[in-house]
Amino acid sequence: MQIILLHPRFSAKTVTLTHWHLLSLVLLFAVSVIAVASFLYYFTVRYATELNIPLMRDMAAGTSQDDSSRKDRYIKENLAAMAMKLGEMQAQLMRLDALGERVQGLAGIKPQEFNFKEPPGRGGPAPSANSQPLSMEEFQTALDSVARDVEQRADYMNVVETTLMSYKIKSKLLPTIQPVNVSYNASGFGWRLDPFTGRNAFHEGIDFAGAVGTPIVAAAGGVVISAEYHHQYGNMIDIDHGNDIVTRYAHTSRVYVKVGDIVKRGQRIADIGSTGRSTGAHLHFEVLVKGIPQNPHKFLAAGADQARMIALVK
């Protein structure tokens, strides 16, 4: 395309326009229109209230309402999610309180010394003026972190409870309580002069002297594996406590259990007598580990120490 320019003072001039020039002019025009439109839009929206233009005022109000609605919806959704998380944490804390009370009882801790239902004491200096409040995202992150910590602690408390329960069960299966309520034992464990022959012989248990009919209790929980008359032990009871531990109660006058009975620790199983190879009323008490007689004093002393520790804790 050629354009001829005429002027009275100058000679005629010819300008040739290529398609690149036309394209540049079109682009420049389009940019100018967009810039002007953007300016007018910003001006009218920014000052819609001051200019009192009804249409623009309504548009601005609608935009503001949409933003407010989106914010309200965002807050409500986050509050609903946090409320659900808070409910889960409350349920976990209730379970943790119950676990704490059970563990507290198993460990022998006084309730007033470790009360899960009372918050621990807290304090410290006042926050500085530069401290900033938590944002919604920061609060959500902190809440999730606390929820994870509560869950981990609950799992840990479950493991502790299981371990303490196992220890408690094992301690109940050890013959650590004295089978008769007497303060005198007529003959101890080990070598002694046999009361019938006068020769040196090994005594495989402890003899507790007592009146006929004195109650005999199980030194630990277990299963009765023998309740019969033996020509040397007289009326005899054997109780299996597991872990290859067996207790024997001999020379009894009366037996209250039979083979297969499950007895509890401290349960009355017989009465003192003088049956079998005996010189007088007493209980012959043995502890066998894998069939080998052990000194019952070791077990009874451990039980006495444990009872003293429990008394001190309480």
Side-chain angles (χ1 to χ4, degrees):
M1 177 185 293
Q2 290 184 343
I3 299 175
I4 300 175
L5 300 177
L6 300 176
H7 195 277
R9 295 183 181 180
F10 304 100
S11 59
K13 290 187 177 180
T14 302
V15 178
T16 303
L17 297 177
T18 65
H19 64 281
W20 291 110
H21 292 92
L22 294 176
L23 183 59
S24 300
L25 289 173
V26 172
L27 290 175
L28 180 61
F29 177 77
V31 170
S32 300
V33 171
I34 293 173
V36 172
S38 300
F39 174 75
L40 290 175
Y41 177 80
Y42 171 77
F43 183 79
T44 52
V45 173
R46 175 67 177 82
Y47 299 99
T49 305
E50 290 81 354
L51 294 175
N52 197 20
I53 302 174
L55 178 61
M56 298 308 298
R57 186 174 63 248
D58 294 341
M59 291 177 59
T63 302
S64 177
Q65 290 177 358
D66 290 342
D67 292 341
S68 178
S69 298
R70 282 195 295 270
K71 289 180 180 178
D72 289 343
R73 187 167 58 253
Y74 173 76
I75 292 173
K76 289 179 180 178
E77 289 175 354
N78 279 273
L79 286 176
M82 286 188 289
M84 292 178 61
K85 181 66 69 175
L86 183 61
E88 293 175 0
M89 290 178 61
Q90 288 175 338
Q92 289 175 342
L93 285 174
M94 290 178 64
R95 185 180 67 175
L96 200 58
D97 287 342
L99 275 173
E101 291 179 358
R102 291 201 297 269
V103 171
Q104 172 186 291
L106 290 172
I109 301 174
K110 295 180 179 180
Q112 59 269 28
E113 291 181 0
F114 201 76
N115 192 349
F116 281 86
K117 296 181 179 179
E118 292 184 2
R122 301 175 67 185
S128 62
N130 296 328
S131 60
Q132 297 293 329
L134 287 176
S135 65
M136 186 70 73
E137 291 78 8
E138 291 173 335
F139 181 73
Q140 182 68 48
T141 301
L143 192 64
D144 292 340
S145 177
V146 172
R148 287 193 298 271
D149 290 343
V150 169
E151 188 173 355
Q152 289 173 357
R153 280 161 175 75
D155 293 339
Y156 174 75
M157 290 291 285
N158 276 317
V159 173
V160 173
E161 182 193 20
T162 302
T163 303
L164 287 175
M165 183 64 73
S166 175
Y167 288 156
K168 189 172 184 178
I169 292 173
K170 287 180 179 178
S171 67
K172 287 183 177 294
L173 295 177
L174 290 176
T176 54
I177 66 170
Q178 190 166 302
V180 287
N181 187 20
V182 296
S183 58
Y184 169 70
N185 59 288
S187 181
F189 178 85
W191 292 96
R192 67 169 186 175
L193 293 178
D194 186 88
F196 288 94
T197 64
R199 296 180 180 179
N200 198 29
F202 192 84
H203 189 224
E204 297 180 345
I206 298 176
D207 290 341
F208 293 97
V212 174
T214 302
I216 301 171
V217 300
V223 179
V224 178
I225 58 174
S226 177
E228 60 187 6
Y229 183 85
H230 189 278
H231 68 282
Q232 293 194 35
Y233 287 110
N235 294 327
M236 180 190 73
I237 301 172
D238 284 352
I239 299 177
D240 189 347
H241 305 285
N243 296 319
D244 297 319
I245 299 176
V246 174
T247 53
R248 176 169 293 166
Y249 311 80
H251 308 304
T252 67
S253 61
R254 187 175 181 182
V255 175
Y256 297 103
V257 294
K258 62 183 181 300
V259 175
D261 285 352
I262 298 175
V263 297
K264 297 180 181 179
R265 180 186 181 90
Q267 178 180 334
R268 187 175 183 177
I269 57 174
D271 292 336
I272 283 182
S274 184
T275 57
R277 192 172 182 268
S278 171
T279 61
H282 73 285
L283 167 68
H284 174 80
F285 176 63
E286 291 184 15
V287 177
L288 300 98
V289 179
K290 295 183 178 180
I292 300 174
Q294 304 293 321
N295 189 350
H297 270 304
K298 295 188 296 183
F299 296 90
L300 299 179
D305 292 340
Q306 184 180 17
R308 282 193 294 269
M309 289 179 63
I310 294 175
L312 289 173
V313 170
K314 293 182 177 179

